[in-house]
Amino acid sequence: MGQGEKLFKDPVHGYISVPSDYCRDFIDTPIFQRLRHIEQTSMRPLYPAARHDRFIHSLGVYHLGRRVLDQLTQNTSDPELLGILRSDRLRQSFLVACLMHDCGHAPFSHTCEGFYNYSEAGTAQRAYTALAEAFPGQDFRVQDGFDPAPHEALSAVVLTRFYADALRPRQCDPELMARMITGCTYPSPTDVRQRVDNCLIGLLNGSAVDVDKLDYVLRDTWASGVRNTSVDVDRLICAVCLHAETAGKATTCFRQSALSVIQSVVDARNYLYEWVYNHHTV
């Protein structure tokens, strides 16, 4: 733990260390503190001990994001990619986005987020309209053509609108952070920097393995008490790296040693969806 950091005791990850200035500017604010009162899932009708919330999940995602970024930097040898990874712009944008990715979550979690798009007049696109207004001219759609989830769009808007004074001195890139939260990569990256940006976007909100999924798979398994597939997070994180196949290219990959862990992440997530999230009682 470095100087000027605070510790949060977490039953899933142990101790989570967060810089004191992050606590002051982000965690100790009403918007973030309200996450203590928003349950992580709707599984308690079936698993009554599963009293975990978006507050500790957000801290868990930050913790995993910090570990992944540090390991990614350590495992990357290409000088150009390494310079981008070490930049304040990318590092601060990724870490703050990990911490604040659920800051706009609805009451009762996913159950009520559909109301974010409700409007008495016009089409039911209120959350997406707010995102488009915050970032005019930008395409916030994932590669397969779908819009982000309503709570993701609102989280990006809330972060940009209410935390601008905290983002500016850290050299954060608000548009990049919005893309990290929504999972909307740059559709046609123009240079190697945007390609690295796309890699980090996928590490927070991607289609395969990302720190958001890793935390909720571990946390929901712990909270429900189900006997799910074990996930060796340490081994997985140690294997993450950026690879430049040709000049100007960048791809997130995992070393061969983590193949079995990647399979266990897929199996554990599928188990939760089949036997917990989609259970008829839940």
Side-chain angles (χ1 to χ4, degrees):
M1 184 182 69
Q3 291 184 345
E5 303 218 351
K6 293 186 177 181
L7 288 177
F8 295 84
K9 179 61 175 173
D10 177 32
V12 174
H13 301 300
Y15 284 102
I16 296 175
S17 178
V18 182
S20 297
D21 62 303
Y22 273 43
C23 294
R24 179 194 67 222
D25 295 338
F26 301 105
I27 295 176
D28 295 337
T29 62
I31 288 174
F32 195 90
Q33 289 293 317
R34 67 181 282 273
L35 298 179
R36 292 181 181 272
H37 309 292
I38 298 178
E39 293 201 18
Q40 175 73 8
T41 69
S42 57
M43 67 170 71
R44 280 210 295 124
L46 188 62
Y47 301 99
R51 292 179 175 269
H52 57 314
D53 51 52
R54 293 280 161 179
F55 180 91
I56 190 59
H57 166 65
S58 297
L59 291 178
V61 172
Y62 166 81
H63 172 74
L64 290 175
R66 188 176 182 178
R67 290 187 61 192
V68 164
L69 185 56
D70 288 343
Q71 195 68 50
L72 194 66
T73 304
Q74 182 177 326
N75 291 349
T76 300
S77 57
D78 183 276
E80 186 177 21
L81 300 183
L82 200 55
I84 297 171
L85 285 174
R86 287 174 172 168
S87 67
D88 286 339
R89 166 193 167 270
L90 185 61
R91 182 174 181 83
Q92 293 291 332
S93 295
F94 181 70
L95 293 179
V96 175
C98 286
L99 181 65
M100 302 297 289
H101 77 285
D102 271 350
C103 67
H105 228 297
F108 303 104
S109 198
H110 294 293
T111 304
C112 291
E113 72 171 305
F115 288 103
Y116 278 160
N117 272 332
Y118 176 78
S119 177
E120 292 183 354
T123 59
Q125 294 287 316
R126 189 172 184 178
Y128 304 137
T129 299
L131 182 62
E133 290 173 349
F135 301 96
Q138 296 300 318
D139 179 17
F140 278 87
R141 300 178 69 86
V142 293
Q143 291 180 347
D144 52 10
F146 291 100
D147 291 307
H151 82 272
E152 294 171 346
L154 258 295
S155 292
V157 172
V158 167
L159 179 59
T160 303
R161 183 176 299 174
F162 294 101
Y163 292 91
D165 291 341
L167 302 180
R168 199 174 300 111
R170 292 179 170 84
Q171 302 181 44
C172 292
D173 183 336
E175 181 195 330
L176 174 58
M177 298 174 76
R179 290 185 176 277
M180 289 173 171
I181 291 172
T182 59
C184 297
T185 55
Y186 292 98
S188 301
T190 57
D191 54 27
V192 65
R193 191 182 79 165
Q194 283 195 350
R195 291 185 175 91
V196 175
D197 289 348
N198 279 351
C199 292
L200 271 293
I201 291 169
L203 282 173
L204 174 54
N205 186 353
S207 58
V209 177
D210 60 57
V211 293
D212 183 24
K213 290 185 184 70
L214 277 178
D215 185 79
Y216 77 64
V217 165
L218 295 172
R219 195 169 301 282
D220 293 353
T221 296
W222 165 81
S224 62
V226 298
R227 294 191 177 276
N228 200 351
T229 303
S230 176
V231 177
D232 191 342
V233 175
D234 294 335
R235 187 179 184 92
L236 183 66
I237 291 176
C238 285
V240 67
C241 55
L242 278 187
H243 180 61
E245 296 180 4
T246 58
K249 299 290 186 180
T251 305
T252 308
C253 57
F254 294 88
R255 292 171 177 167
Q256 186 176 355
S257 60
L259 281 176
S260 61
V261 187
I262 293 172
Q263 183 64 55
S264 69
V265 173
V266 174
D267 291 342
R269 184 171 181 267
N270 289 343
Y271 181 93
L272 287 173
Y273 271 91
E274 182 173 1
W275 298 107
V276 178
Y277 306 145
N278 293 330
H279 191 281
H280 68 276
T281 300
V282 174

